[in-house]
Each structure stands twice: as structure tokens, then as C-alpha cells.
């Protein structure tokens, strides 16, 4: 096993709409691990910046807000709730406008530094499934198992549209596909910790396969990792 007290660190990175959140939740449940939705943490940070009315170009103000921010992920009854400085922002951070704003502010250094510190602290003991964009490349480059989950832009746009429409958001499929494409571009072309597949990540294309199949591939890789580390100790 790893030298971590509570188990392995499992990283799941990939673009929006690839199914990371669902898969990470199921995987964490099966392993008895904690799921850490790092995108939700960036969203909560975007919400705090927006509410404080801070100009993202004002680095000093931004640093002050980020270093004092307390972002908490709670999971009562297996349903994730997100808190920003004690306020429940779970639903407020899921609008299309907040998605785009999050993608923009997540390119800023004070934001990334604060999130990096918080995520390392939450995950360092192991027994965690972290999902995001830079987990395997930057946050935990030493994660025991890394996955890169992706799907075609059309399929991701379709899934995201179904999710938003299901929540009653007034959006068209066309707008949603455009939002996903814009975020892809912003998240993969920024200078700091861009979305990228780690060299040692297992890539899984979820365009044409279901959740169970994705989970099967992941569980097999995790089992193999556990048995190979046990055989050398
Ligand atoms: O996973 P999500 O769609 O909730 O993420 C929202 C945004 O947060 C995403 O567009 C980019 C940013 N993000 C990031 O930069 N790094 C992460 N590890 C997770 C999310």
C-alpha cells in the first residue's frame, strides 16, 4: 500500500461534461473513500469574488480574499453540499454564468495558490478521490492512480444540456455546447495548471460507454495498483 494513512490518492482529471463527478462519487462510495470535487471549490471561490465585487485584476484584494476564504465540502446523506465562508452555495454555483466566471477566475494565481494549499491539505492522508483539471499534473503529481476522463465535445455538450434542462435552467442545446467549448478553451489554454493529461494517467473515452463500464476500467486499474504495491512490500 502507499505510505498514506487512509489509503490511496486517486486523481480524475478531464474537461467539463465528461462524467467525472458521477464517476468520482460512485468510485469513492465503493472504496469507502472521500470524494473531493475541486471544481466545486473553484466555483465557491468565484461566488465569493463575485459577491465581494472584487476586480479580478486587483491582485492585492484578490489575495486577501483568497487567503481568508473558507471553502468546505460536506456530504450529509451522500449528497454534496458546498459552503463558502459558512454560507451554503451548493445551488448558486451551478448556473451557466457561474461556470464561465469560474473558468475565468481559475486562471488567476492567488486563486490557484489558495485552492492548491486547501486541496493538498484535504488529500494528503489518502483515502480520497479528487476530481478536477490539474490533480494528476499539479496538485498530486504523486497520486497512486490517475485517470483522464474525456468525451467528444458534442457528447459533453449534450450531457450538460440535459443536466441544466433537468434543473429547469432556460438554456438551449446550442448555447450549452458553446459554453462547454468556451470553457474547454479557457481551461486548457491558461498559463497556470492548464487542463492536461498527466503522462502516467490512464485515458478513458466515455463518449460511447456507460458509467458502469468506466467504473469497471477504473476499479481494475486500482486493484492492479494495490496488488503490485503489496507484492513489493
Ligand atoms: O469541474 P467543474 O466544471 O465544476 O469546474 C469549474 C471550473 O473550475 C472549470 O471550468 C475550471 C476550474 N477548475 C480548475 O481550474 N481546476 C480544477 N482542478 C477544477 C476546476
Amino acid at each position: 500500500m502507499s505510505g498514506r494513512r487512509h489509503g490511496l490518492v486517486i486523481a480524475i482529471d478531464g474537461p467539463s461534461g465528461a462524467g467525472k463527478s458521477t464517476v468520482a462519487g460512485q468510485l469513492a462510495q465503493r472504496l469507502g473513500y472521500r470524494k473531493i470535487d475541486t471544481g466545486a471549490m473553484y466555483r465557491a471561490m468565484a461566488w465569493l469574488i463575485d459577491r465581494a465585487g472584487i476586480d479580478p485584476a486587483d491582485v492585492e484584494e484578490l489575495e486577501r480574499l483568497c487567503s481568508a476564504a473558507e471553502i468546505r465540502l460536506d456530504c450529509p446523506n451522500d449528497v454534496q453540499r458546498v459552503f463558502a465562508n459558512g454560507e451554503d452555495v451548493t445551488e448558486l454555483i451551478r448556473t451557466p454564468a457561474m461556470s464561465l466566471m469560474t473558468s475565468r477566475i481559475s486562471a488567476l494565481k492567488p486563486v490557484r495558490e489558495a485552492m492548491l494549499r486547501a486541496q493538498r491539505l484535504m488529500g494528503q492522508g489518502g483515502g480520497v478521490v479528487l476530481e478536477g483539471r490539474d490533480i494528476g499534473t499539479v496538485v498530486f503529481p504523486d497520486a497512486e492512480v490517475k485517470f483522464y476522463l474525456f468525451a467528444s465535445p458534442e457528447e459533453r455538450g449534450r450531457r450538460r444540456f440535459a443536466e441544466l434542462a433537468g434543473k429547469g435552467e432556460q438554456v438551449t442545446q446550442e448555447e450549452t455546447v458553446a459554453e462547454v467549448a468556451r470553457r474547454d478553451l479557457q481551461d486548457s489554454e491558461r498559463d497556470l495548471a492548464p487542463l492536461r493529461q498527466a503522462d502516467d494517467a490512464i485515458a478513458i473515452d466515455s463518449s460511447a460507454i456507460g458509467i458502469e463500464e468506466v467504473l469497471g476500467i477504473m476499479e481494475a486499474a486500482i486493484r492492479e495498483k494495490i496488488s503490485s504495491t503489496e507484492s513489493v512490500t
Side-chain angles (χ1 to χ4, degrees), residues 167-232:
K167 283 194 291 193
E169 289 279 348
Q170 297 298 312
V171 286
T172 65
Q173 182 155 331
E174 216 176 10
E175 281 164 357
T176 312
V177 171
E179 177 220 302
V180 166
R182 235 172 107 190
R183 280 214 281 154
D184 278 359
L185 200 71
Q186 282 180 170
D187 295 346
S188 54
E189 298 212 328
R190 67 182 179 221
D191 291 334
L192 297 171
L195 168 65
R196 192 169 63 72
Q197 182 184 334
D199 294 337
D200 51 350
I202 298 164
I204 306 172
D205 181 353
S206 73
S207 308
I209 60 173
I211 288 175
E212 277 308 319
E213 216 171 320
V214 173
L215 283 167
I217 298 170
M218 290 182 166
E219 284 183 309
I222 293 165
R223 264 199 306 278
E224 198 182 308
K225 179 72 192 179
I226 292 173
S227 63
S228 72
T229 41
E230 277 172 350
S231 67
V232 292

Coordinates of all heavy atoms in Angstrom, one line a residue, residues 167-232:
K167 N -32.7 20.7 -14.4 CA -32.8 21.6 -13.3 C -33.6 22.8 -13.5 O -33.7 23.7 -12.7 CB -31.4 22.1 -12.8 CG -30.6 21.0 -12.1 CD -29.4 21.5 -11.4 CE -28.3 21.9 -12.3 NZ -27.0 22.2 -11.7
G168 N -34.2 22.9 -14.7 CA -35.1 24.0 -15.1 C -34.4 25.2 -15.6 O -35.1 26.3 -15.7
E169 N -33.1 25.1 -15.9 CA -32.4 26.3 -16.5 C -32.9 26.6 -17.9 O -33.1 25.7 -18.7 CB -30.9 26.0 -16.5 CG -30.2 26.0 -15.2 CD -29.9 27.4 -14.7 OE1 -30.0 28.3 -15.4 OE2 -29.5 27.4 -13.5
Q170 N -33.1 27.9 -18.2 CA -33.6 28.2 -19.5 C -32.5 28.4 -20.5 O -32.0 29.5 -20.7 CB -34.4 29.6 -19.4 CG -35.7 29.5 -18.6 CD -36.7 28.5 -19.1 OE1 -37.0 28.5 -20.3 NE2 -37.2 27.7 -18.2
V171 N -32.0 27.3 -21.0 CA -30.9 27.3 -22.0 C -31.2 26.5 -23.2 O -32.0 25.5 -23.1 CB -29.5 26.8 -21.3 CG1 -29.0 27.8 -20.4 CG2 -29.7 25.5 -20.7
T172 N -30.5 26.8 -24.3 CA -30.7 25.9 -25.5 C -29.5 25.0 -25.6 O -28.5 25.3 -25.0 CB -30.8 26.8 -26.8 OG1 -29.5 27.4 -26.9 CG2 -31.9 27.8 -26.7
Q173 N -29.7 23.9 -26.3 CA -28.6 23.0 -26.5 C -27.4 23.7 -27.2 O -26.2 23.5 -26.9 CB -29.0 21.8 -27.3 CG -27.9 20.8 -27.5 CD -28.4 19.4 -27.7 OE1 -29.5 19.0 -27.3 NE2 -27.7 18.5 -28.4
E174 N -27.7 24.6 -28.1 CA -26.7 25.3 -28.8 C -25.8 26.2 -27.9 O -24.6 26.2 -27.9 CB -27.4 26.2 -29.9 CG -26.6 26.4 -31.1 CD -27.4 27.2 -32.1 OE1 -28.4 27.9 -31.7 OE2 -27.0 27.3 -33.3
E175 N -26.5 26.9 -27.0 CA -25.8 27.7 -26.0 C -24.9 26.9 -25.1 O -23.8 27.3 -24.8 CB -26.8 28.5 -25.1 CG -27.5 29.7 -25.7 CD -28.7 30.1 -25.0 OE1 -29.1 29.5 -24.0 OE2 -29.3 31.1 -25.4
T176 N -25.5 25.7 -24.7 CA -24.7 24.9 -23.8 C -23.5 24.3 -24.5 O -22.4 24.3 -23.9 CB -25.6 23.7 -23.3 OG1 -26.8 24.2 -22.9 CG2 -25.0 23.0 -22.2
V177 N -23.6 23.9 -25.7 CA -22.4 23.4 -26.5 C -21.4 24.5 -26.6 O -20.2 24.3 -26.4 CB -22.8 22.8 -27.8 CG1 -21.6 22.5 -28.7 CG2 -23.7 21.6 -27.7
A178 N -21.8 25.7 -26.8 CA -20.9 26.8 -26.9 C -20.2 27.1 -25.6 O -19.0 27.4 -25.5 CB -21.7 28.1 -27.4
E179 N -21.0 27.0 -24.5 CA -20.4 27.3 -23.2 C -19.3 26.2 -22.9 O -18.2 26.6 -22.4 CB -21.5 27.2 -22.1 CG -21.0 27.3 -20.7 CD -21.6 26.4 -19.6 OE1 -22.9 26.4 -19.5 OE2 -20.9 25.6 -19.0
V180 N -19.6 25.0 -23.2 CA -18.6 23.9 -22.9 C -17.3 24.2 -23.8 O -16.2 24.0 -23.3 CB -19.2 22.5 -23.3 CG1 -18.2 21.4 -23.4 CG2 -20.3 22.2 -22.2
A181 N -17.5 24.6 -25.0 CA -16.4 24.8 -25.9 C -15.5 26.0 -25.4 O -14.3 25.9 -25.4 CB -16.9 25.1 -27.3
R182 N -16.2 27.0 -24.9 CA -15.5 28.2 -24.3 C -14.7 27.8 -23.1 O -13.6 28.2 -22.9 CB -16.5 29.3 -24.0 CG -16.1 30.6 -24.7 CD -17.2 31.6 -24.5 NE -16.8 32.6 -23.6 CZ -17.6 33.5 -23.1 NH1 -18.9 33.5 -23.4 NH2 -17.2 34.5 -22.3
R183 N -15.3 27.0 -22.3 CA -14.6 26.6 -21.0 C -13.4 25.7 -21.4 O -12.3 25.8 -20.8 CB -15.6 25.8 -20.1 CG -16.4 26.8 -19.3 CD -16.7 26.3 -17.9 NE -17.7 25.3 -17.9 CZ -17.8 24.4 -17.0 NH1 -16.9 24.2 -16.1 NH2 -18.8 23.5 -17.0
D184 N -13.6 24.8 -22.3 CA -12.5 23.9 -22.8 C -11.3 24.8 -23.2 O -10.2 24.5 -22.8 CB -12.9 23.1 -24.1 CG -13.7 21.9 -23.8 OD1 -14.0 21.6 -22.6 OD2 -14.1 21.2 -24.7
L185 N -11.6 25.8 -23.9 CA -10.5 26.7 -24.4 C -9.8 27.4 -23.3 O -8.6 27.4 -23.2 CB -11.1 27.7 -25.4 CG -10.2 28.3 -26.4 CD1 -9.7 27.3 -27.4 CD2 -10.9 29.5 -27.1
Q186 N -10.7 28.0 -22.4 CA -10.1 28.7 -21.3 C -9.3 27.8 -20.3 O -8.2 28.2 -19.9 CB -11.2 29.4 -20.5 CG -11.8 30.7 -21.1 CD -12.9 31.3 -20.3 OE1 -13.3 32.4 -20.7 NE2 -13.4 30.7 -19.3
D187 N -9.9 26.6 -20.1 CA -9.2 25.8 -19.1 C -7.9 25.1 -19.6 O -7.0 24.8 -18.9 CB -10.2 24.6 -18.7 CG -11.4 25.2 -17.9 OD1 -11.4 26.3 -17.5 OD2 -12.4 24.4 -17.8
S188 N -7.9 24.9 -21.0 CA -6.7 24.3 -21.5 C -5.6 25.2 -22.0 O -4.5 24.8 -22.2 CB -7.1 23.3 -22.6 OG -7.8 23.9 -23.5
E189 N -6.0 26.5 -22.2 CA -5.0 27.4 -22.7 C -4.4 28.4 -21.7 O -3.6 29.2 -22.1 CB -5.6 28.2 -23.9 CG -6.0 27.2 -25.0 CD -5.9 27.8 -26.4 OE1 -6.1 29.1 -26.5 OE2 -5.6 27.1 -27.3
R190 N -4.9 28.3 -20.5 CA -4.3 29.2 -19.5 C -2.9 28.8 -19.1 O -2.4 27.7 -19.4 CB -5.2 29.2 -18.2 CG -5.1 27.9 -17.5 CD -6.0 27.9 -16.3 NE -6.0 26.6 -15.6 CZ -7.0 25.9 -15.1 NH1 -8.2 26.5 -15.2 NH2 -6.9 24.8 -14.6
D191 N -2.1 29.8 -18.6 CA -0.7 29.6 -18.3 C -0.5 28.7 -17.0 O 0.3 27.8 -17.0 CB 0.0 30.9 -18.0 CG 0.1 31.7 -19.3 OD1 0.1 31.1 -20.4 OD2 0.2 33.0 -19.2
L192 N -1.3 28.9 -16.0 CA -1.2 28.2 -14.8 C -2.0 26.9 -14.7 O -3.2 26.9 -14.9 CB -1.6 29.0 -13.6 CG -0.8 30.3 -13.3 CD1 -1.4 31.1 -12.2 CD2 0.7 29.9 -12.9
A193 N -1.3 25.8 -14.5 CA -2.0 24.5 -14.3 C -3.1 24.2 -15.3 O -4.3 24.0 -15.0 CB -2.6 24.4 -12.9
P194 N -2.8 24.3 -16.6 CA -3.9 24.1 -17.6 C -4.4 22.6 -17.6 O -3.7 21.8 -17.1 CB -3.2 24.4 -19.0 CG -1.8 24.2 -18.7 CD -1.5 24.5 -17.3
L195 N -5.6 22.5 -18.1 CA -6.1 21.1 -18.3 C -5.2 20.3 -19.2 O -5.0 20.7 -20.4 CB -7.5 21.2 -18.9 CG -8.1 19.8 -19.4 CD1 -8.3 18.9 -18.2 CD2 -9.4 20.0 -20.1
R196 N -4.7 19.2 -18.7 CA -3.7 18.4 -19.5 C -3.7 17.0 -18.9 O -3.9 16.8 -17.7 CB -2.3 19.1 -19.3 CG -1.3 18.5 -20.3 CD 0.0 19.4 -20.3 NE 0.7 19.4 -19.0 CZ 1.4 18.4 -18.5 NH1 1.4 17.2 -19.1 NH2 2.0 18.5 -17.3
Q197 N -3.5 16.0 -19.8 CA -3.4 14.7 -19.3 C -2.1 14.4 -18.8 O -1.1 14.7 -19.4 CB -3.7 13.7 -20.5 CG -3.7 12.3 -20.1 CD -3.9 11.3 -21.3 OE1 -4.5 11.7 -22.3 NE2 -3.4 10.1 -21.1
A198 N -2.0 13.9 -17.5 CA -0.6 13.6 -17.0 C 0.0 12.4 -17.8 O -0.8 11.6 -18.3 CB -0.8 13.2 -15.5
D199 N 1.3 12.4 -17.9 CA 1.9 11.4 -18.7 C 1.6 9.9 -18.2 O 1.5 9.0 -19.0 CB 3.5 11.5 -18.6 CG 3.9 12.8 -19.3 OD1 3.1 13.3 -20.2 OD2 5.0 13.3 -19.0
D200 N 1.4 9.8 -16.9 CA 1.1 8.5 -16.3 C -0.3 8.3 -16.0 O -0.7 7.4 -15.2 CB 2.0 8.3 -15.1 CG 1.9 9.4 -14.1 OD1 1.3 10.4 -14.4 OD2 2.4 9.2 -12.9
A201 N -1.2 9.1 -16.7 CA -2.7 8.9 -16.4 C -3.2 7.8 -17.4 O -2.8 7.7 -18.5 CB -3.4 10.2 -16.6
I202 N -4.2 7.1 -17.0 CA -4.9 6.2 -17.8 C -6.1 7.0 -18.5 O -6.9 7.5 -17.8 CB -5.5 5.0 -17.0 CG1 -4.4 4.2 -16.4 CG2 -6.4 4.1 -17.9 CD1 -4.8 3.3 -15.2
A203 N -6.1 7.1 -19.8 CA -7.1 7.8 -20.5 C -8.3 7.0 -20.8 O -8.2 5.8 -21.3 CB -6.5 8.4 -21.8
I204 N -9.5 7.5 -20.5 CA -10.7 6.8 -20.8 C -11.7 7.7 -21.6 O -12.0 8.8 -21.1 CB -11.4 6.3 -19.5 CG1 -10.5 5.5 -18.6 CG2 -12.7 5.5 -19.8 CD1 -11.0 5.2 -17.2
D205 N -12.1 7.2 -22.7 CA -13.0 7.9 -23.6 C -14.5 7.5 -23.2 O -14.8 6.3 -23.5 CB -12.7 7.7 -25.0 CG -13.7 8.4 -26.0 OD1 -14.6 9.1 -25.5 OD2 -13.4 8.4 -27.2
S206 N -15.2 8.4 -22.6 CA -16.6 8.0 -22.1 C -17.7 8.3 -23.1 O -18.8 8.2 -22.8 CB -16.9 8.7 -20.8 OG -17.1 10.0 -21.0
S207 N -17.3 8.7 -24.4 CA -18.3 9.1 -25.4 C -19.3 8.0 -25.6 O -20.5 8.3 -25.7 CB -17.6 9.4 -26.7 OG -16.6 10.3 -26.6
A208 N -18.8 6.8 -25.7 CA -19.7 5.7 -26.2 C -19.9 4.6 -25.1 O -20.5 3.6 -25.4 CB -19.2 5.1 -27.5
I209 N -19.3 4.8 -23.9 CA -19.5 3.8 -22.9 C -20.2 4.4 -21.7 O -20.1 5.6 -21.4 CB -18.2 3.1 -22.5 CG1 -17.2 4.1 -21.9 CG2 -17.6 2.3 -23.6 CD1 -15.9 3.5 -21.3
G210 N -20.9 3.5 -20.9 CA -21.7 4.0 -19.8 C -20.8 4.0 -18.5 O -19.7 3.6 -18.5
I211 N -21.4 4.6 -17.4 CA -20.8 4.7 -16.2 C -20.2 3.4 -15.6 O -19.1 3.4 -15.1 CB -21.7 5.3 -15.1 CG1 -22.0 6.8 -15.5 CG2 -21.2 5.2 -13.7 CD1 -23.0 7.4 -14.6
E212 N -21.0 2.3 -15.7 CA -20.6 1.1 -15.2 C -19.3 0.6 -15.8 O -18.4 0.1 -15.2 CB -21.7 0.0 -15.3 CG -22.7 0.0 -14.2 CD -22.1 0.0 -12.8 OE1 -21.2 -0.7 -12.5 OE2 -22.6 0.8 -11.9
E213 N -19.2 0.8 -17.1 CA -18.0 0.4 -17.9 C -16.8 1.2 -17.5 O -15.7 0.7 -17.3 CB -18.3 0.5 -19.4 CG -17.7 -0.7 -20.1 CD -18.1 -0.7 -21.6 OE1 -19.3 -0.4 -21.8 OE2 -17.3 -0.9 -22.5
V214 N -17.0 2.5 -17.3 CA -15.9 3.4 -16.9 C -15.5 3.0 -15.5 O -14.3 2.8 -15.3 CB -16.4 4.9 -16.8 CG1 -15.3 5.8 -16.2 CG2 -16.7 5.4 -18.2
L215 N -16.4 2.7 -14.6 CA -16.1 2.3 -13.3 C -15.3 1.0 -13.2 O -14.4 0.8 -12.5 CB -17.3 2.2 -12.4 CG -17.9 3.5 -11.9 CD1 -19.3 3.3 -11.3 CD2 -17.0 4.2 -10.9
G216 N -15.7 0.1 -14.1 CA -15.0 -1.2 -14.2 C -13.6 -1.1 -14.6 O -12.7 -1.7 -14.0
I217 N -13.3 -0.2 -15.6 CA -11.9 0.1 -16.0 C -11.1 0.7 -14.8 O -10.0 0.3 -14.5 CB -11.9 1.0 -17.2 CG1 -12.6 0.4 -18.4 CG2 -10.4 1.4 -17.6 CD1 -12.8 1.4 -19.6
M218 N -11.7 1.6 -14.1 CA -11.1 2.3 -13.0 C -10.8 1.3 -11.9 O -9.7 1.2 -11.3 CB -11.9 3.4 -12.5 CG -11.9 4.6 -13.5 SD -12.9 6.0 -12.8 CE -12.4 7.3 -13.9
E219 N -11.8 0.5 -11.5 CA -11.6 -0.4 -10.4 C -10.5 -1.5 -10.7 O -9.7 -1.8 -9.9 CB -12.9 -1.1 -10.1 CG -13.8 -0.2 -9.3 CD -15.1 -0.9 -8.9 OE1 -15.8 -1.5 -9.8 OE2 -15.5 -0.8 -7.7
A220 N -10.4 -1.9 -12.0 CA -9.4 -2.9 -12.4 C -8.0 -2.3 -12.2 O -7.1 -2.9 -11.7 CB -9.7 -3.4 -13.8
A221 N -7.9 -1.0 -12.6 CA -6.6 -0.3 -12.5 C -6.2 -0.1 -11.1 O -5.0 -0.3 -10.7 CB -6.6 1.0 -13.3
I222 N -7.2 0.2 -10.2 CA -6.9 0.4 -8.8 C -6.5 -0.9 -8.1 O -5.5 -1.0 -7.4 CB -8.1 1.1 -8.1 CG1 -8.3 2.5 -8.6 CG2 -7.9 1.1 -6.6 CD1 -9.6 3.1 -8.3
R223 N -7.2 -2.0 -8.5 CA -6.9 -3.3 -7.9 C -5.5 -3.7 -8.3 O -4.7 -4.2 -7.5 CB -7.8 -4.4 -8.4 CG -9.0 -4.6 -7.5 CD -9.7 -6.0 -7.8 NE -10.1 -6.1 -9.2 CZ -11.2 -5.6 -9.6 NH1 -12.1 -4.9 -8.8 NH2 -11.6 -5.7 -10.9
E224 N -5.1 -3.5 -9.6 CA -3.8 -3.8 -10.1 C -2.7 -3.0 -9.3 O -1.7 -3.6 -8.9 CB -3.7 -3.5 -11.6 CG -2.6 -4.2 -12.2 CD -2.5 -3.8 -13.7 OE1 -3.6 -3.9 -14.4 OE2 -1.4 -3.4 -14.2
K225 N -3.0 -1.7 -9.1 CA -2.0 -0.9 -8.3 C -1.8 -1.4 -6.9 O -0.7 -1.5 -6.4 CB -2.6 0.6 -8.3 CG -1.7 1.5 -7.6 CD -0.4 1.8 -8.4 CE 0.6 2.5 -7.6 NZ 1.8 2.7 -8.4
I226 N -3.0 -1.7 -6.3 CA -2.9 -2.2 -4.9 C -2.1 -3.5 -4.8 O -1.2 -3.7 -4.0 CB -4.3 -2.4 -4.3 CG1 -4.9 -1.0 -4.1 CG2 -4.2 -3.1 -2.9 CD1 -6.3 -1.0 -3.6
S227 N -2.4 -4.5 -5.8 CA -1.7 -5.8 -5.7 C -0.2 -5.6 -6.1 O 0.6 -6.3 -5.5 CB -2.4 -6.8 -6.5 OG -2.4 -6.5 -7.9
S228 N 0.1 -4.7 -7.0 CA 1.5 -4.5 -7.3 C 2.3 -3.9 -6.2 O 3.5 -4.2 -6.0 CB 1.7 -3.8 -8.6 OG 1.4 -2.4 -8.4
T229 N 1.7 -2.9 -5.5 CA 2.4 -2.3 -4.3 C 2.5 -3.3 -3.2 O 3.5 -3.3 -2.5 CB 1.8 -1.0 -3.9 OG1 0.4 -1.2 -3.9 CG2 2.2 0.2 -4.7
E230 N 1.5 -4.2 -3.0 CA 1.6 -5.1 -1.9 C 2.7 -6.2 -2.2 O 3.3 -6.6 -1.3 CB 0.2 -5.8 -1.7 CG -0.7 -5.0 -0.8 CD -2.1 -5.5 -0.7 OE1 -2.4 -6.4 -1.5 OE2 -2.9 -5.0 0.1
S231 N 2.8 -6.5 -3.5 CA 3.8 -7.6 -3.8 C 5.3 -7.1 -3.6 O 6.2 -7.9 -3.5 CB 3.6 -8.1 -5.2 OG 3.9 -7.1 -6.1
V232 N 5.5 -5.8 -3.6 CA 6.9 -5.3 -3.4 C 7.2 -4.9 -2.0 O 8.3 -4.6 -1.6 CB 7.3 -4.1 -4.3 CG1 7.3 -4.5 -5.8 CG2 6.3 -2.9 -4.1

